Amino acid sequence: MPTPGDSISVPKHIAIIMDGNGRWAKERGLKRSDGHRAGAESVRECVEICKELGVEFLTLYAFSVENWKRPKTEIASLMTLLERFLKDKTPELNEKDVRLQAIGRLNDIPPKTLRQLHRSIEETSDNSGLTLILALSYGGREEIIDGIKSILHHVEEGHIDRAMIDPDLFSKHLYTRYYPDPDLLIRTSGEMRVSNFLLWQISYAEMVVTKKYWPEFRKDDLREAIVEYSRRQRRYGAI
Ligand code: IPE
Ligand code: IPE
Ligand code: MG
């Protein structure tokens, strides 16, 4: 197991599909909301270890556009949990020099939660250590559609000529335009799918899927995933 300073290649950007809160709770005879609450501690630990190892960007899939299909009570408890988490943890983010960002169709988020999100983003905006990006009401397809609309608008205004449209330019019209693509994509709870997460950006990400449920995924598990990443040979189509 590496400790800071060991020579492993640390990914610049890690993206995580945090899955399995509900199943974790069910197996323990608890409510789904208890699973989400337990998952918040995993978030804390992952932020901490990313900071220690020098990861620059951590994107967490916290709520998908598809998750609006869940029962109203579960959505409400998730939004309340998010709001409370942001409120409680913002001082700690500042202590750790973590800058908070968010991607997704944020205007769909309930006003009270959204206000806290904006407050936390604002209060951590001067930090220059790890950038923690929460994907909220996020969908990869929706992001691509929003990107196309943004490009069309610029074409209509005469700022972009269609000959200029290439992958680099397109990337600059996505929610993630300020961040590099993820190097490592992790999914917990064993599901082998991407569930509409960062579809454009993960084209060359290394994937690690673990059977552990998100509330069980802690510091050492993230370290282990980074070691696994470190062993991979990234070829990008070359030999
Ligand atoms: C992940 O856990 C959290 C969110 C998607 C918000 P789930 O709630 O999907 O838990 P499972 O997959 O039902 O176990
Ligand atoms: C993916 O988990 C979305 C988040 C982690 C926020 P889901 O539980 O919603 O995904 P599916 O339904 O198993 O594909
Ligand atoms: Mg799930």
Side-chain angles (χ1 to χ4, degrees):
M1 210 47 85
T3 52
D6 278 3
S7 64
I8 55 158
S9 97
V10 173
K12 194 176 196 152
H13 185 171
I14 300 178
I16 308 182
I17 303 173
M18 309 184 288
D19 196 19
N21 294 351
R23 277 163 285 172
W24 179 89
K26 195 173 176 203
E27 280 185 12
R28 285 158 184 79
L30 301 169
K31 291 183 295 210
R32 290 182 62 85
S33 57
D34 295 323
H36 298 314
R37 200 164 321 114
E41 181 54 27
S42 298
V43 170
R44 211 185 67 82
E45 288 203 12
C46 288
V47 168
E48 214 160 78
I49 193 70
C50 281
K51 193 71 221 300
E52 276 172 37
L53 296 175
V55 173
E56 291 177 47
F57 300 87
L58 173 65
T59 301
L60 299 177
Y61 203 6
F63 197 87
S64 71
V65 280
E66 288 80 12
N67 289 149
W68 294 112
K69 290 188 262 182
R70 294 191 179 196
K72 278 200 169 61
T73 48
E74 177 163 350
I75 295 173
S77 89
L78 274 166
M79 292 300 153
T80 308
L81 179 69
L82 172 65
E83 192 189 319
R84 225 171 271 153
F85 179 85
L86 291 170
K87 197 166 182 204
D88 294 350
K89 302 293 179 204
T90 301
E92 199 176 320
L93 295 178
N94 278 326
E95 250 163 58
K96 295 200 168 88
D97 198 24
V98 178
R99 179 174 68 123
L100 184 75
Q101 301 270 278
I103 54 171
R105 291 193 167 164
L106 304 181
N107 289 331
D108 296 342
I109 294 171
K112 196 154 168 270
T113 310
L114 188 58
R115 274 199 297 277
Q116 179 58 54
L117 178 67
H118 284 314
R119 254 199 304 276
S120 297
I121 290 173
E122 171 61 30
E123 286 172 15
T124 60
S125 62
D126 290 336
N127 296 340
S128 56
L130 172 71
T131 299
L132 171 63
I133 305 151
L134 295 182
L136 293 165
S137 190
Y138 175 86
R141 287 183 163 186
E142 286 69 12
E143 180 181 28
I144 289 169
I145 297 293
D146 288 347
I148 290 170
K149 287 180 182 166
S150 164
I151 290 184
L152 279 176
H153 176 75
H154 282 81
V155 170
E156 282 157 12
E157 298 281 304
H159 303 311
I160 292 177
D161 184 84
R162 69 160 65 199
M164 291 158 66
I165 303 172
D166 66 4
D168 273 346
L169 183 134
F170 191 65
S171 296
K172 293 196 173 71
H173 290 264
L174 296 173
Y175 309 149
T176 51
R177 58 186 159 277
Y178 307 116
Y179 324 123
D181 287 344
D183 304 290
L184 170 61
L185 172 69
I186 298 171
R187 181 165 188 149
T188 57
S189 93
E191 238 74 69
M192 302 293 273
R193 54 175 174 261
V194 291
S195 302
N196 203 13
F197 189 41
L198 299 175
L199 298 180
W200 172 272
Q201 298 87 342
I202 59 172
S203 61
Y204 266 102
E206 294 295 326
M207 295 182 62
V208 169
V209 175
T210 162
K211 285 223 154 57
K212 282 203 180 176
Y213 295 137
W214 177 248
E216 303 168 314
F217 189 87
R218 297 292 164 102
K219 272 190 180 182
D220 284 345
D221 303 292
L222 187 53
R223 269 209 199 92
E224 212 174 284
I226 293 173
V227 171
E228 163 74 30
Y229 165 85
S230 204
R231 285 195 211 105
R232 305 272 178 91
Q233 215 196 347
R234 304 181 79 187
R235 285 190 289 274
Y236 300 100
I239 51 171

